[in-house]
Amino acid sequence: GQQLNQSPQSMFIQEGEDVSMNCTSSSIFNTWLWYKQDPGEGPVLLIALYKAGELTSNGRLTAQFGITRKDSFLNISASIPSDVGIYFCAGPNSGGGADGLTFGKGTHLIIQP
Amino acid sequence: ETGVTQTPRHLVMGMTNKKSLKCEQHLGHNAMYWYKQSAKKPLELMFVYNFKEQTENNSVPSRFSPECPNSSHLFLHLHTLQPEDSALYLCASSQDRVNRGPLILFGSGTRLTVV
C-alpha cells in the first residue's frame, strides 16, 4: 500500500520560531492535505493542495505541493503556544474517489517556554 | 466544530460487553469513514461507506461491525473486544469532488478503553 514518511517525528522549539516539516511518498499523489490534531480531538484540516508546485497559505501556515508530486512541506511562521499538537500529512488512497486517505505518522510540535 | 459529531466521547467496556459508537453529519456528504488511531501508529482506515454502501473493509476483525442506515449516520458496533482494541476511534465524512479527491472532515473521536 501507499506510505507517507513524515519528518521530523518531533520538534522542540521556542515560541516565536519558524517551523518546517515535510512529507514524502514513494508514489505520486494528486492531492496533499495537512491536518493538525490537538490532544483528545480529531484531526482538523489546515490546508489542501491540488496542483504540483502549488503554494497555499492559511494565516501563519504555508504549504507547498512538490513538483514531483511525491512530497509536500508545511511551514509555520512565528510559532505561538496554540500551535502545539500533531501535524499529519495525508493523501487520497490509490482507488481514488471516496476511498479514504493514507496518513503519515505525524510530526509532534512542542513549544518550550 | 467540523460538523461531524461522535458519541460517546469516552467509553470503557469489558471484553464481554456489546456497545455501539455513533457518528452523524448533516453536511450533505456522501461518504463516511471509520478510522482507528492507536498510540505511535498512523491513522488506520477501517471502513468506508459511499452513498450508504460499504466500499472498503480493511481486513478489520469481525468483532467490529459497521452500519450505515443513511448518508448522515454511521455506527460501529463492538462486541467481545480485546484490550489491544483500546484506541481513539474517529469518524469522518467527505463529499467526493471530481478531479480533486475527497476533502475529509473528522469528528472529535471516541476514546475507547477495553478492560
Side-chain angles (χ1 to χ4, degrees):
Chain A
Q2 300 175 127
Q3 283 191 328
L4 295 179
N5 300 306
Q6 271 190 261
S7 64
Q9 270 193 315
S10 50
M11 303 183 74
F12 295 81
I13 64 166
Q14 304 283 337
E15 184 178 348
E17 284 186 34
D18 296 341
V19 171
S20 185
M21 60 189 79
N22 66 40
C23 194
T24 59
S25 168
S26 56
S27 52
I28 288 173
F29 282 92
N30 57 22
T31 300
W32 283 93
L33 304 172
W34 284 93
Y35 288 84
K36 182 196 176 200
Q37 186 174 25
D38 291 328
E41 297 292 331
V44 173
L45 182 65
L46 298 174
I47 292 179
L49 302 161
Y50 302 108
K51 284 169 53 175
E54 179 181 355
L55 188 72
T56 297
S57 293
N58 177 4
R60 294 177 295 104
L61 277 60
T62 302
Q64 184 156 30
F65 194 144
I67 292 291
T68 64
R69 294 165 62 193
K70 291 184 177 181
D71 64 335
S72 177
F73 71 74
L74 176 70
N75 285 347
I76 306 173
S77 62
S79 58
I80 59 177
S82 61
D83 291 334
V84 166
I86 306 175
Y87 291 79
F88 293 99
C89 62
N93 287 338
S94 53
D99 272 358
L101 298 172
T102 294
F103 283 83
K105 289 189 178 181
T107 293
H108 292 239
L109 180 61
I110 298 153
I111 298 180
Q112 296 170 319
Chain B
E1 182 61 52
T2 62
V4 181
T5 305
Q6 286 187 247
T7 53
R9 290 295 307 273
H10 301 272
L11 178 62
V12 179
M13 61 185 287
M15 289 189 282
T16 58
N17 291 159
K18 287 185 182 181
K19 296 285 183 184
S20 296
L21 310 185
K22 180 182 176 183
C23 177
E24 60 183 297
Q25 55 88 12
H26 299 287
L27 302 167
H29 288 175
N30 58 276
M32 295 187 79
Y33 312 80
W34 281 115
Y35 277 86
K36 176 184 177 183
Q37 188 175 35
S38 306
K40 299 182 182 178
K41 282 185 170 183
L43 281 147
E44 300 170 65
L45 180 63
M46 299 174 73
F47 300 105
V48 181
Y49 277 83
N50 199 9
F51 291 104
K52 302 188 301 176
E53 298 296 320
Q54 186 176 315
T55 57
E56 185 137 352
N57 173 343
N58 266 2
S59 305
V60 180
S62 60
R63 57 186 184 270
F64 295 91
S65 173
E67 179 191 0
C68 187
N70 54 60
S71 296
S72 299
H73 293 85
L74 184 65
F75 296 89
L76 188 62
H77 303 300
L78 316 170
H79 63 98
T80 58
L81 294 193
Q82 305 297 312
E84 59 265 28
D85 296 323
S86 299
L88 182 68
Y89 288 85
L90 290 159
C91 174
S93 70
S94 73
Q95 181 63 39
D96 195 24
R97 293 138 339 123
V98 175
N99 296 325
R100 286 211 136 184
L103 207 59
I104 292 183
L105 302 179
F106 286 86
S108 297
T110 296
R111 173 65 63 187
L112 174 68
T113 304
V114 182
V115 297

